[in-house]
Amino acid sequence: MTEEDFNNLIDQHLETWQRTVIRITNNADDANEAVQQALIAAWEKRHSFGFRARAASWVCRIAINRAYNIIRKRRRDAERENAYAQEDCVHEPQENVLDKLQRALELLPEPYRETVAVAIANNLSAEKCIRILNCRPGTFYWRMQQAKIRLKKIMEDL
Amino acid sequence: MNHKTDIDQILEAAAAAPCNGAGLKSAKEVKNEFHNQLSQVREVPYLQYFLKSAAIITVIFTILFFGCMNRKERIMEKENYKNIMLACFALKTLNGDLMK
């Protein structure tokens, strides 16, 4: 893949990547960072990746992993300083249902969280999600079902 | 009949909502950043990897070589000891026969 191919890929899929990653990080700067790191990682490994048609899914997958790395690092830093990020604890008194969903997403275990994030970013298209998550259809549907059950419970408790 | 649950509707609303991340970079910014980073990405130092591998292989083979040599010497010493003992035994037998 050439730089031109990467430019086209960015033009076509950047929004989907950002929409996916921001559901995981809940922070625009971290989402930008994850996408940027994913692009560089994809560029470095471009020779080992032959299927251009699946490059967008591949970059998205890398971006999700980088997003997890970033939030884990943040969590570790916060624990080290013995103070969780205060901005995460302060919420608007009248938050809408989508903000509540975002907060509930943060409390979901990682596999469910990324499944929901990818689903939302791809307009709940199972086919695209399965390709990005690189899992079996049964696994995707099962995770979505479990995620919905958990989300419902978490959102009721919030 | 609508079987959709509340959570389905919330997820659909989230999927339909515009990206809520104010501060997300535009495609142009991402591309600029990407190309800036590319210029900083170092090429893979294949020669360095090759020299390191060669050095490691040489050390391993040297150790194996001296190990084998040492073992060979020990085997030869054992063989020599056996031959000397046999010679002593033969001399002793011969001496016994002569004394008769």
Side-chain angles (χ1 to χ4, degrees):
Chain A
M1 286 181 81
T2 63
E3 282 191 46
E4 193 56 40
D5 293 331
F6 264 77
N7 283 341
N8 293 336
L9 210 61
I10 291 168
D11 285 333
Q12 287 170 19
H13 300 284
L14 178 67
E15 200 188 328
T16 310
W17 299 335
Q18 287 175 331
R19 280 169 66 93
T20 307
V21 170
I22 203 163
R23 291 279 168 202
I24 293 169
T25 60
N26 194 22
N27 179 318
D29 290 336
D30 290 345
N32 285 331
E33 180 66 26
V35 170
Q36 213 73 55
Q37 285 184 12
L39 283 169
I40 289 294
W43 174 262
E44 284 175 345
K45 303 277 180 193
R46 67 193 183 282
H47 298 303
S48 61
F49 191 79
F51 309 101
R52 280 186 191 188
R54 296 179 69 183
S57 313
W58 182 52
V59 175
C60 192
R61 183 68 255 174
I62 300 172
I64 291 170
N65 291 340
R66 298 292 161 135
Y68 278 132
N69 289 345
I70 289 169
I71 57 173
R72 279 187 204 122
K73 189 174 179 297
R74 278 199 185 285
R75 217 172 279 162
R76 277 200 303 271
D77 291 346
E79 279 169 7
R80 203 173 296 134
E81 290 165 12
N82 202 17
Y84 284 98
Q86 288 181 355
E87 60 187 5
D88 289 347
C89 304
V90 178
H91 298 289
E92 294 293 324
Q94 289 181 328
E95 59 180 4
N96 66 29
V97 72
L98 295 184
D99 293 334
K100 209 171 176 183
L101 173 71
Q102 184 58 45
R103 277 175 61 202
L105 266 177
E106 286 173 38
L107 300 173
L108 273 186
E110 284 184 8
Y112 303 127
R113 188 176 178 177
E114 70 185 35
T115 306
V116 176
V118 171
I120 290 172
N122 289 283
N123 292 323
L124 309 176
S125 155
E127 194 190 336
K128 283 183 187 172
C129 297
I130 290 162
R131 202 166 55 223
I132 292 170
L133 295 167
N134 195 20
C135 64
R136 291 179 186 170
T139 310
F140 169 74
Y141 290 119
W142 186 81
R143 278 188 193 169
M144 273 305 282
Q145 192 193 7
Q146 290 295 313
K148 282 178 191 174
I149 293 167
R150 287 171 190 238
L151 274 177
K152 194 176 177 185
K153 193 172 181 314
I154 294 168
M155 286 176 82
E156 280 169 4
D157 295 342
L158 282 175
Chain B
M1 205 168 122
N2 191 6
H3 291 289
K4 284 184 180 171
T5 59
D6 290 346
I7 197 76
D8 283 323
Q9 286 167 354
I10 293 168
L11 290 178
E12 278 176 13
C19 198
N20 60 348
L24 284 175
K25 286 181 184 171
S26 65
K28 195 179 172 188
E29 287 172 317
V30 171
K31 279 191 275 187
N32 283 342
E33 180 78 23
F34 174 61
H35 292 295
N36 284 342
Q37 286 178 332
L38 275 194
S39 59
Q40 292 165 7
V41 174
R42 284 185 300 119
E43 286 297 314
V44 185
Y46 289 112
L47 182 66
Q48 211 175 329
Y49 288 168
F50 174 75
L51 290 175
K52 268 186 193 169
S53 310
I56 291 165
I57 289 166
T58 309
V59 169
I60 290 168
F61 274 95
T62 310
I63 291 166
L64 284 174
F65 177 73
F66 282 108
C68 289
M69 288 293 282
N70 192 24
R71 185 173 161 75
K72 198 179 169 189
E73 273 176 16
R74 275 192 286 131
I75 289 167
M76 281 172 70
E77 274 175 17
K78 213 171 175 182
E79 282 291 318
N80 286 343
Y81 179 72
K82 214 192 278 178
N83 288 341
I84 289 165
M85 288 304 287
L86 275 173
C88 288
F89 181 73
L91 277 173
K92 199 177 170 187
T93 313
L94 188 65
N95 191 27
D97 288 343
L98 288 173
M99 290 297 282
K100 278 182 188 171

